[in-house]
Amino acid sequence: MTANQESAGNFDRRVKNLLDQKTRELPQHTVGELQFIRKNALQHNCYRSNHHKNFIMSRLGAPAAYLWGGGIGIAFASIALTVVLVGRPPQQPMNTLPSEDDFSFLLTVSDDLEFYEHLEFYQWLEEFPVGHERHS
Amino acid sequence: MQQLNHEIDAFLASVERRGYLMSEIATGTPEDALDLVQDTMIAFVRRYSARSAEEWPPLFFRILQNRIRDWYRWNKVRAKWRVRIDGNDTNPGQQRAAIENHPGTGVDDPLQKLTDYDFGEALIESLRNLPLRQQQAFMLRTWEGLSVIETAQAMGCSQGSVKTHLSRATKALRQQLEDFK
C-alpha cells in the first residue's frame, strides 16, 4: 500500500468516525422525533396489513383502488344518464311555420287591407286630382 | 407479520440517525430533514418491507436520495419564483453562506479562526458546500459503505458517474480540510 493510499484510507476513516460521532450526539428531541416517525411508519404498515384484505386493494394499493372506484362510479353515472335520455317520451316536433291565427290580426284590420287594394288608385288620384281633367 | 415488523423496526432504528444527518447536511434545516426521513420511512415500509433484509440498506438510501433530490428541485423552482416576485437576484442559500462565511469581527487571524472550529464542524460545513451529487456519492460510499453498484442504484446514475463524483468530492474535502491534518 502506498503512502498516498494509506493517507486516503486514514482520511476516510477519520471522516467516518466523525460522522458516526455526530449521529451519537444528535439532540435528544431530534432522537425522540425520529423514534416517533419510525413507530408511525410501522403503524402505517400494521394498518395496511390488517385492513387491506380486499383483493383489489391488496393487489393494486389504495391509490389504484380509488381510481378504479372512481372509474366505476363514472361508468354507472353515464349509463344512468343514457337510460334517462333514451327512455324519455318523444316530444312533438316543433312547428316553425307561423299558423293562420298568427295573421288573423291582419285580416281583422279590414280598413288597412282596403287601403292597400286601392293603393294604385290613390297614387293615380294624387297625380291627377279630381276636377283637373287632362286635355290632351 | 409481528416478526417482520420487529425486523423492519430494528433496521430503521439502525439507519434513521444516519439518514437524518445526511438530509440535514443536504438541506441545512432540521425540520426539512425530519420530513424527508419520515417520507422515506413510510415509502420504504409501504413498498419494500416484503423484500429480503439484505436489499434494505440500498433501497432505503435510494428513496432518501430521491427525496433529497426532489427537495432540491422544488427549492430551486421556489427560489426562482421568489426572485421574480421579490425582484432580488440573491439566492437565499447564497445569502446564508455569505453570512456564515463572513469573518467575525474579533477574529482576524485565519489560524485563530481555524482553531475555533473543530474538525467536525469544518467537515460538516465542507460537506454542505459540495454539489449535491458529490455529497451523495461521498456519504453513500465512504460513510454508509455501499458498494459502487449499490451507490449507483441509490443515486440513479452509472457506476462511472459514482466514481467521478466520489473522486471529486474526496479531492475537494481533502483540500478544504488540509489544515486539520
Side-chain angles (χ1 to χ4, degrees):
Chain A
M1 186 185 280
T2 63
N4 205 17
Q5 282 174 326
E6 195 178 330
S7 167
N10 283 340
F11 178 77
D12 287 355
R13 236 188 330 275
R14 197 176 172 193
V15 167
K16 195 173 180 316
N17 289 339
L18 212 133
L19 288 171
D20 285 338
Q21 189 189 329
K22 284 275 171 196
T23 59
R24 285 192 296 272
E25 291 170 354
L26 284 177
Q28 204 53 45
H29 67 88
T30 305
V31 174
E33 286 202 65
L34 285 170
Q35 284 176 355
F36 173 75
I37 286 169
R38 174 165 34 100
K39 298 293 173 199
N40 224 10
L42 287 167
Q43 267 183 359
H44 187 257
N45 195 34
C46 287
Y47 175 80
R48 280 176 57 79
S49 62
N50 290 335
H51 292 82
H52 291 220
K53 298 290 184 191
N54 181 288
F55 178 81
I56 295 173
M57 287 291 200
S58 60
R59 292 285 167 134
L60 301 171
Y66 291 142
L67 282 176
W68 273 95
I72 290 167
I74 289 168
F76 271 115
S78 306
I79 291 166
L81 190 66
T82 310
V83 167
V84 167
L85 290 175
V86 170
R88 206 165 53 169
Q91 287 181 337
Q92 293 291 328
M94 194 184 274
N95 194 355
T96 51
L97 289 171
S99 65
E100 221 170 80
D101 295 341
D102 294 335
F103 294 104
S104 58
F105 74 97
L106 288 175
L107 296 174
T108 54
V109 187
S110 55
D111 292 346
D112 288 349
L113 275 176
E114 255 179 42
F115 170 77
Y116 286 114
E117 277 170 6
H118 299 106
L119 189 62
E120 277 181 61
F121 166 69
Y122 293 132
Q123 281 174 343
W124 175 84
L125 193 64
E126 194 181 15
E127 210 173 329
F128 306 104
V130 180
H132 293 84
E133 286 179 17
R134 268 191 294 194
H135 301 283
S136 54
Chain B
M1 194 66 210
Q2 201 65 26
Q3 173 65 24
L4 180 64
N5 265 1
H6 278 302
E7 283 177 27
I8 299 170
D9 188 32
F11 166 71
L12 290 178
S14 73
V15 291
E16 67 188 8
R17 292 187 185 206
R18 292 205 297 280
Y20 169 78
L21 194 61
M22 278 183 195
S23 308
E24 208 269 332
I25 288 169
T27 61
T29 55
E31 293 80 18
D32 286 341
L34 282 169
D35 285 347
L36 291 175
V37 173
Q38 176 171 267
D39 287 353
T40 303
M41 282 188 180
I42 290 172
F44 174 81
V45 168
R46 198 168 55 200
R47 290 189 216 153
Y48 300 119
S49 53
R51 297 278 192 97
S52 66
E54 294 82 46
E55 291 180 86
W56 287 349
L59 288 172
F60 178 84
F61 286 105
R62 185 166 76 186
I63 299 171
L64 182 66
Q65 296 309 326
N66 283 339
R67 293 288 186 278
I68 291 172
R69 234 182 3 244
D70 290 346
W71 183 92
Y72 257 75
R73 284 179 189 144
W74 167 241
N75 272 273
K76 215 173 168 181
V77 172
R78 204 169 58 173
K80 266 185 194 170
W81 280 100
R82 195 176 291 163
V83 167
R84 281 181 194 170
I85 292 165
D86 297 348
N88 183 5
D89 284 341
T90 313
N91 187 312
Q94 287 173 343
Q95 283 179 344
R96 194 187 62 207
I99 292 165
E100 286 175 359
N101 294 332
H102 192 270
T105 48
V107 186
D108 292 324
D109 183 9
L111 282 174
Q112 180 61 43
K113 192 181 167 190
L114 281 175
T115 49
D116 289 342
Y117 272 106
D118 69 328
F119 180 63
E121 292 300 317
L123 172 67
I124 298 292
E125 197 58 39
S126 302
L127 281 169
R128 279 198 182 127
N129 290 334
L130 285 179
L132 180 64
R133 303 298 273 167
Q134 291 182 25
Q135 194 186 95
Q136 289 178 328
F138 186 83
M139 297 289 235
L140 294 172
R141 278 287 287 135
T142 307
W143 188 25
E144 200 48 47
L146 298 185
S147 69
V148 176
I149 297 170
E150 287 171 338
T151 308
Q153 284 172 349
M155 289 176 63
C157 64
S158 68
Q159 294 175 39
S161 296
V162 170
K163 287 175 186 169
T164 307
H165 289 312
L166 180 65
S167 155
R168 286 178 184 165
T170 311
K171 191 179 169 189
L173 287 175
R174 291 183 82 180
Q175 275 177 354
Q176 287 176 42
L177 301 169
E178 215 170 27
D179 295 318
F180 289 96
K181 276 183 180 172

